[in-house]
Every structure is written in C-alpha cells, then in structure tokens.
Amino acid sequence: MANESKELQTLEAEKQEVATVEGIERTRARRAYVPHVDIYETDDAIVLLTDMPGVDEKSLDITLEKNVLTINGYVDTEAPDNYSLAYAEYETGDYQRSFTLSEEIDREKIEATVKDGVLRLHLPKAGPAKTRKITVKAN
C-alpha cells in the first residue's frame, strides 16, 4: 500500500504538457507545460503557489477574462557561451494554466508576485464569502 502511494506521487510530479486544443494554435513554436500548483485557503483569501522555473516578472502574462484566470509563463533558455548541450534530463518550455474563479473572489484585488521561479497569486475573498466568527449571545 505504501509503495502504491509513493508511485502515485511520482506520477503526479511528472511534467504534463499542455494539451493542444483543435482550432487554437500557440504563437510560440515550443512546448508548453502545465505548472504544478499548491492552493491554500485562509479566512480572507485563496493563495496559489505555482512552480515556474525560468520565469520572472517580465516573462509572465496573467489575464482575467470573465471568470477565467490564465497564467502564461515564457521561458527563454540560453546556453552558456562556448557550451553545447550534450544531454538533458530536464526539458524546458513555456507554462500555461487556467483557473475558473468563483464569485467568492474579489477580482479587483488580485495580486501576483514572483520570486525564484515561484509565482504567488493572492486571490482575496469578496466580502460576503469571507469566513467570519459569529458571536453567540445569551438571552
């Protein structure tokens, strides 16, 4: 049983390439991967942490159209001068992932930061969706 669980985690950790949608072509002729995301929920917000190695604030494009938040990260690989790649176990490529947001998210206050290839999206909850403590009064 423990081995099955470990194998499952390994399979989930592999890079997943973005599926090609019929009728839609990418503007860059290179692979795109679905970045792995950790999602945390606090009383006030949903926080997404996305691993996107090679991406910085200049190579990120995040859009919100209707209820769909789309993240595009563009990676340009550069080989050091006077070196040519002889073998690689890690494939590079762009990143692309979309999320459908619920009405609970305050779209005007979404913030994004990136550091060391980790994108942090802070999605604050709208007023009514926030968790609040209800005080019970004795009669």
Side-chain angles (χ1 to χ4, degrees), residues 12-37:
E12 291 177 356
E14 291 180 9
K15 279 182 152 183
Q16 179 184 0
E17 195 167 347
V18 172
T20 306
V21 178
E22 189 172 318
I24 297 176
E25 291 186 36
R26 289 182 39 83
T27 55
R28 289 172 51 107
R30 61 181 315 186
R31 291 177 181 234
Y33 296 98
V34 177
H36 293 222
V37 175

Side-chain angles (χ1 to χ4, degrees), residues 103-122:
E103 297 298 324
E104 296 179 8
I105 303 300
D106 186 344
R107 286 149 175 74
E108 300 300 319
K109 296 181 179 173
I110 296 173
E111 295 179 357
T113 57
V114 64
K115 181 179 179 185
D116 298 330
V118 178
L119 171 65
R120 182 180 187 274
L121 279 166
H122 185 261

Side-chain angles (χ1 to χ4, degrees), residues 16-21 24-28 30-37 50-52 55 59-63 68-75 93-99 119:
Q16 179 184 0
E17 195 167 347
V18 172
T20 306
V21 178
I24 297 176
E25 291 186 36
R26 289 182 39 83
T27 55
R28 289 172 51 107
R30 61 181 315 186
R31 291 177 181 234
Y33 296 98
V34 177
H36 293 222
V37 175
T50 309
D51 292 333
M52 302 174 78
V55 171
S59 59
L60 263 171
D61 181 38
I62 303 171
T63 58
V68 179
L69 180 76
T70 302
I71 303 167
N72 284 296
Y74 306 104
V75 177
D94 296 337
Y95 298 96
Q96 183 178 28
R97 187 147 182 187
S98 296
F99 299 90
L119 171 65

Side-chain angles (χ1 to χ4, degrees), residues 42-65:
T42 67
D43 290 343
D44 300 328
I46 305 290
V47 178
L48 280 68
L49 297 176
T50 309
D51 292 333
M52 302 174 78
V55 171
D56 62 16
E57 69 278 4
K58 296 173 188 166
S59 59
L60 263 171
D61 181 38
I62 303 171
T63 58
L64 178 62
E65 185 174 349

